[in-house]
């Protein structure tokens, strides 16, 4: 048992010597690192960016749209239309939606989803900070106990050696030596178990704040911020209900479903848009042969009303 404990301590000692970099950490820095660099937080931020892009995409349906192109084509006989427009050297098409309730509701749904995604980022940040803070405090406590376990183990070994000497001199009983050896074994086991827990907690803390495994951590002896005794129980409950990201996300999701349900009957309403078009015609498309008068510049401005069936 003693040789195993000594081997563990020796490996830990050489492991600590091999570390190249040392970082000083406070609890506040740990929480900040975890809330910014956690993989779960990064994934939530990507989802938030996707939701924001979807909101912008939905809003684009209500923005004025101008397209410029060409319907240039060689004509034989009557100037046939190309995709609904007459052959032209240059053509411009303009559309500005004026009344589209379905698109507006879809924008509102997208906006609520985007806000929910931002709330999910806050939730992931809080979860990452809470987990890293737990690892930090637990590791610091384990390190503080390490000296006590080490001192106790050394003291019990000295007591065991004294009893061994007394037993050889005939002034002690064998059961006393057995009891002393048992106490040494228990203290050594507690020391080794604490050391193994320190190694595991340190690796977990490094993963939580996205640090490489070879970095050595020095933890500050700062206190946990906040004093909940300054507030009443009712105030704390109300604050939790108002600011909890999970509850906020559920409320936003409920509102999103309600708005989406409101959009269903509005899908049958007509959409009204202001439309415009311009075309630059040419004579080689036979316009002057089949129409009474040829005009190079042609424009259109009107209202488009579409009624879904």
């Amino acid at each position: 048992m003693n040789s195993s404990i000594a081997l563990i301590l020796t490996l830990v000692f050489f492991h600590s010597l091999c570390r190249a970099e040392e970082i000083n950490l406070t609890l506040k820095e740990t929480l900040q690192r975890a809330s910014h660099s956690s993989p779960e937080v990064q994934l939530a931020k990507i989802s938030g960016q996707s939701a924001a892009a979807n909101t912008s995409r939905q809003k684009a349906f209500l923005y004025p749209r101008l397209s410029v192109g060409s319907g240039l084509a060689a004509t034989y006989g009557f100037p046939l239309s190309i995709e609904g427009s007459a052959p032209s050297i240059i053509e411009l098409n303009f559309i500005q939606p004026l009344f589209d309730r379905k698109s507006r509701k879809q924008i509102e749904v997208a906006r609520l989803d985007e806000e929910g995604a931002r709330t999910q980022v806050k939730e992931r940040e809080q979860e990452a900070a809470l987990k890293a803070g737990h690892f930090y405090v637990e590791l610091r406590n384990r390190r503080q106990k390490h000296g006590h376990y080490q001192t106790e183990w050394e003291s019990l070994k000295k007591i065991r050696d004294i009893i061994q000497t007394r037993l050889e001199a005939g002034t002690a009983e064998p059961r006393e030596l057995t009891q002393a050896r048992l106490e040494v074994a228990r203290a050594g086991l507690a020391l080794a178990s604490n050391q193994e827990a320190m190694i595991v907690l340190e690796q977990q803390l490094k993963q939580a704040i996205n640090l490489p495994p070879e970095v050595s951590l020095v933890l500050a002896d700062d206190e946990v911020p906040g004093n909940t005794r300054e507030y009443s129980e009712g105030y704390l409950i109300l604050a939790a209900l108002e600011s909890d990201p999970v509850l906020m996300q559920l409320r936003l999701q409920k509102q999103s479903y309600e708005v989406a349900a409101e959009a269903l009957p509005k899908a049958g309403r007509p959409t009204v848009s202001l439309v415009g078009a311009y075309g630059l015609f040419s004579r080689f498309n036979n316009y002057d042969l089949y129409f009474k008068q040829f005009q190079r510049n042609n424009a259109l401005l009107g209202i488009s009303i579409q009624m879904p069936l």
Side-chain angles (χ1 to χ4, degrees), residues 16-33:
S16 62
L17 290 179
C18 294
R19 294 174 177 171
E21 186 180 358
E22 190 175 87
I23 293 181
N24 296 313
L25 272 183
T26 63
L27 179 58
K28 182 178 180 180
E29 292 172 349
T30 300
L31 301 181
Q32 290 175 345
R33 281 177 175 265

Side-chain angles (χ1 to χ4, degrees), residues 35-50:
S35 61
H36 287 86
S37 61
S38 171
E40 291 81 5
V41 174
Q42 298 301 322
L43 289 175
K45 287 182 178 179
I46 293 174
S47 298
Q49 294 172 358
S50 177

Side-chain angles (χ1 to χ4, degrees), residues 190-224:
L191 177 63
S193 176
N194 185 70
Q195 187 66 56
E196 291 176 359
M198 286 168 53
I199 296 175
V200 173
L201 285 169
E202 185 172 350
Q203 294 302 321
Q204 289 176 332
L205 179 57
K206 291 175 184 177
Q207 292 176 0
I209 60 179
N210 198 22
L211 287 179
E214 64 273 8
V215 172
S216 177
L217 299 179
V218 179
L219 308 184
D221 193 17
D222 50 348
E223 296 182 357
V224 178

Side-chain angles (χ1 to χ4, degrees), residues 20-305:
E21 186 180 358
E22 190 175 87
I23 293 181
N24 296 313
L25 272 183
T26 63
L27 179 58
K28 182 178 180 180
E29 292 172 349
T30 300
L31 301 181
Q32 290 175 345
R33 281 177 175 265
S35 61
H36 287 86
S37 61
S38 171
E40 291 81 5
V41 174
Q42 298 301 322
L43 289 175
K45 287 182 178 179
I46 293 174
S47 298
Q49 294 172 358
S50 177
N54 182 53
T55 303
S56 300
R57 187 165 51 249
Q58 295 296 333
K59 288 181 177 179
F61 287 106
L62 296 182
Y63 293 157
R65 298 191 294 273
L66 178 66
S67 60
V68 180
S70 175
L72 187 63
T75 300
Y76 179 77
F78 187 84
L80 300 173
S81 64
I82 302 175
E83 297 181 351
S85 61
S88 57
I89 300 174
I90 297 176
E91 61 181 29
L92 284 79
N93 292 287
F94 169 82
I95 181 170
Q96 168 63 66
L98 300 178
F99 182 82
D100 191 343
R101 297 295 299 275
K102 179 182 177 182
S103 295
R104 293 187 182 278
K105 287 297 180 180
Q106 289 176 343
I107 292 173
E108 189 175 352
V109 170
R111 182 186 59 79
L112 290 171
D113 292 341
E114 180 185 356
E115 190 174 351
R118 289 198 301 266
T119 305
Q120 188 178 28
V121 172
K122 295 181 181 178
E123 177 189 354
R124 294 293 181 267
E125 288 176 347
Q126 290 185 3
E127 290 178 351
L130 181 62
K131 182 170 65 173
H134 169 73
F135 293 150
Y136 179 95
V137 174
E138 186 66 21
L139 176 59
R140 188 178 62 184
N141 293 338
R142 291 280 184 176
R143 287 184 175 182
Q144 291 173 351
K145 293 178 181 179
H146 178 71
H148 169 73
Y149 286 135
Q150 182 74 30
T151 302
E152 183 181 17
W153 184 52
E154 296 292 342
S155 299
L156 290 175
K157 285 200 301 181
K158 292 179 180 178
I159 295 174
R160 179 202 59 191
D161 295 339
I162 293 173
I163 294 176
Q164 177 71 34
T165 303
R166 290 178 55 203
L167 181 63
E168 293 175 355
T171 58
E173 297 182 2
R175 62 181 180 82
E176 296 181 25
L177 179 59
T178 303
Q179 182 66 28
R181 288 175 176 174
L182 181 60
E183 294 295 334
V184 171
R186 288 175 178 173
L189 182 61
L191 177 63
S193 176
N194 185 70
Q195 187 66 56
E196 291 176 359
M198 286 168 53
I199 296 175
V200 173
L201 285 169
E202 185 172 350
Q203 294 302 321
Q204 289 176 332
L205 179 57
K206 291 175 184 177
Q207 292 176 0
I209 60 179
N210 198 22
L211 287 179
E214 64 273 8
V215 172
S216 177
L217 299 179
V218 179
L219 308 184
D221 193 17
D222 50 348
E223 296 182 357
V224 178
N227 185 9
T228 57
R229 291 178 295 180
E230 298 178 359
Y231 307 98
S232 64
E233 181 180 355
Y235 176 84
L236 293 175
I237 294 175
L238 182 61
L241 292 176
E242 290 296 330
S243 61
D244 183 70
V246 178
L247 296 179
M248 292 176 62
Q249 189 174 1
L250 290 175
R251 285 195 292 266
L252 291 170
Q253 190 174 17
K254 179 176 178 292
Q255 294 177 15
S256 176
Y257 290 155
E258 291 174 351
V259 174
E262 293 175 1
L264 291 178
K266 292 178 173 56
R269 295 186 179 182
T271 59
V272 181
S273 303
L274 177 66
V275 295
Y278 168 79
L280 179 62
F281 293 170
S282 61
R283 290 184 180 276
F284 63 78
N285 290 117
N286 299 333
Y287 287 113
D288 54 344
L289 298 179
Y290 288 91
F291 295 95
K292 193 172 183 179
Q293 182 180 354
F294 172 75
Q295 183 170 319
R296 181 173 296 274
N297 297 290
N298 302 269
L300 165 71
L301 181 64
I303 297 293
S304 171
I305 302 176

